[in-house]
Amino acid sequence: MNTTPTTTEVFSTGLVDLTQHEIQALKTEFNLADAHTHQRQSPSQRAIVARLPQLWYEAEEGKQADYEHRFTDAFFRLHGQHTALTLNRTLLSYAASISTLVAAMYLKRHRMSVSLVEPCFDNLHDVLGNVGVPLYPVAESLLDEVGSIYDNLAAHVRTDALFLVDPNNPTGATLLRHGRRGFEEVLRFCRDHDKLLLIDFCFASFTLFDDTLERFDIYELLEDSGVTYIALEDTGKTWPVQDAKCALLTSSRDIWLDVYNIHTSVLLNVSPFVLNMLTQYIEDSAADRMASVRSVLDTNRDAAIRALAGSPLSYQEPVAKVSVAWFRVLPPLSTASRLQSVLADDDLYVLPGRYFHWSEPSRGEEYVRVALARDPRMFAKAMTRLRAAVDAQVR
């Protein structure tokens, strides 16, 4: 018996999270909703695709452990996280949501409450909440001024754990704006107040080879701090691999065995073929300094800014140029949800901001999120349609 709700049933009961919106967006001509990678292959990436049969048969002949080692080695070398390579405490999953679930199960087992950054992508809230972890919001703005971070966290975080996303989705905010000191202040707070620190680094690849930001060996800082931590990383938002992805979970030594035991209750391994293929994409980006990834995002970001200049959609400049753009909805437009609904009727899908503000959705009605990892030709057409739809609303 098929229990999957029909489109009519979904809309009659209302969409309850961003992923449900993204599912609907997959049916539209101009899907600018999910942050998954839908751009075309670069010339060097096409060469990888041409070698897929070879990579398949290599994976058949090799050992799982070897492909895991090659993947993690390539990933952390690209990110400059050399300390992580020496820890041997990284666990692989086929999706970041699975790694998040493992972290949530650890928190639930130890009856820990969590202060989760807001705004953020709502599945972090939903995964933790669905296993029964008590959640409380901590405003992203508390991290804006480096000299106030410690006192702000001390005044607002009363839970057992602190969960940050860096860079944040959807805003592109990052502690890297403060260099090392931003992370040092967060770690000082967690050490002094005995807090478990969770950090989602799934958008961290967009800070690589950026002259305006210094991405340093964060795992060295984490290890030296003595803080209990869980760090989550991902490939899923970086390379155009049709959702053949891998997430990484690394934890501090004091909790690693407990986390490992939970992880093995969830899954055995990630496909060695996927790991072999992803390693090629990582090495390709190391060789071109992320140029093939950055060029698409830069082109589409510029197209969006130009197309919407002077409109009631105001681009919010990020600290880290991540793969999504955050726009403020200004008068005479009414709400993000209303605008999103109008655009969906025009076969163009963006995400309304209310779901990112998971504790107070009304605050998110001032924002919409536009995904940038798309074919630039399609994206340019989408921006023309978006501007026309916005102009029609204000006439």
Side-chain angles (χ1 to χ4, degrees), residues 10-318:
V10 167
F11 278 112
S12 67
T13 57
L15 303 180
V16 303
D17 60 34
L18 288 169
T19 300
Q20 291 183 9
H21 275 283
E22 291 174 342
I23 291 170
Q24 298 305 315
L26 294 174
K27 306 168 186 177
T28 62
E29 180 180 4
F30 297 109
N31 167 21
L32 305 182
D34 66 85
H36 294 210
T37 49
H38 300 293
Q39 70 265 35
R40 300 294 181 262
Q41 305 289 308
S42 71
S44 56
Q45 290 168 344
R46 285 197 293 272
I48 297 173
V49 174
R51 294 176 52 229
L52 289 182
Q54 175 189 345
L55 300 177
W56 178 281
Y57 290 117
E58 284 178 3
E60 279 190 342
E61 296 299 324
K63 290 191 298 186
Q64 175 74 28
D66 290 340
Y67 290 109
E68 291 176 356
H69 174 75
R70 292 172 193 169
F71 168 78
T72 53
D73 181 75
F75 183 89
F76 284 127
R77 278 193 291 105
L78 173 67
H79 283 258
Q81 302 304 302
H82 304 294
T83 297
L85 290 171
T86 69
L87 301 177
N88 196 29
R89 296 200 299 267
T90 296
L91 305 169
L92 305 182
S93 303
Y94 49 79
S97 57
I98 302 301
S99 294
T100 305
L101 177 61
V102 170
M105 293 168 70
Y106 173 86
L107 294 166
K108 176 62 176 177
R109 172 178 290 183
H110 293 274
R111 300 180 180 178
M112 302 182 79
S113 57
V114 176
S115 293
L116 174 63
V117 68
E118 187 179 43
C120 71
F121 196 80
D122 69 347
N123 82 319
L124 294 178
H125 165 269
D126 293 347
V127 169
L128 271 66
N130 284 340
V131 301
V133 175
L135 291 165
Y136 302 88
V138 57
E140 175 187 86
S141 59
L142 298 181
L143 308 174
D144 286 350
E145 300 296 331
V146 68
S148 304
I149 288 176
Y150 185 98
D151 290 341
N152 286 344
L153 293 177
H156 290 86
V157 176
R158 296 287 183 263
T159 54
D160 303 302
L162 172 65
F163 198 149
L164 303 179
V165 183
D166 198 289
N168 199 8
N169 168 20
T171 63
T174 172
L175 287 166
L176 291 176
R177 71 191 298 177
H178 310 305
R180 295 175 63 93
R181 192 180 165 203
F183 282 97
E184 288 171 344
E185 288 299 284
V186 170
L187 289 170
R188 184 165 70 92
F189 163 77
C190 290
R191 182 179 60 248
D192 290 353
H193 296 267
D194 194 25
K195 307 296 185 186
L196 167 65
L197 177 63
L198 302 98
I199 308 185
D200 179 328
F201 289 124
C202 290
F203 276 57
S205 60
F206 304 116
T207 67
L208 300 178
F209 308 110
D210 184 337
D211 293 338
T212 67
L213 297 171
E214 178 196 356
R215 181 149 168 82
F216 53 90
D217 190 341
I218 294 172
Y219 288 90
E220 179 182 39
L221 203 62
L222 288 167
E223 288 290 306
D224 289 348
S225 73
V227 166
T228 300
Y229 71 87
I230 296 175
L232 307 171
E233 313 233 20
D234 189 27
T235 65
K237 306 302 187 294
T238 308
W239 293 283
V241 289
Q242 299 196 43
D243 289 324
K245 53 194 178 182
C246 182
L248 306 87
L249 183 158
T250 305
S251 66
S252 53
R253 184 181 300 277
D254 57 328
I255 63 171
W256 184 82
L257 183 58
D258 203 357
V259 173
Y260 173 76
N261 289 339
I262 294 171
H263 189 272
T264 57
S265 76
V266 174
L267 82 164
L268 171 63
N269 66 288
V270 176
S271 159
F273 167 68
V274 170
L275 294 175
N276 198 19
M277 178 187 66
L278 288 174
T279 300
Q280 313 309 309
Y281 277 84
I282 294 169
E283 298 287 10
D284 180 67
S285 284
D288 76 358
R289 295 174 59 85
M290 297 292 292
S292 62
V293 173
R294 281 185 174 281
S295 61
V296 172
L297 301 181
D298 290 345
T299 296
N300 290 342
R301 188 182 300 106
D302 291 344
I305 293 170
R306 288 196 308 270
L308 297 170
S311 80
L313 287 182
S314 175
Y315 176 66
Q316 305 298 287
E317 188 73 38

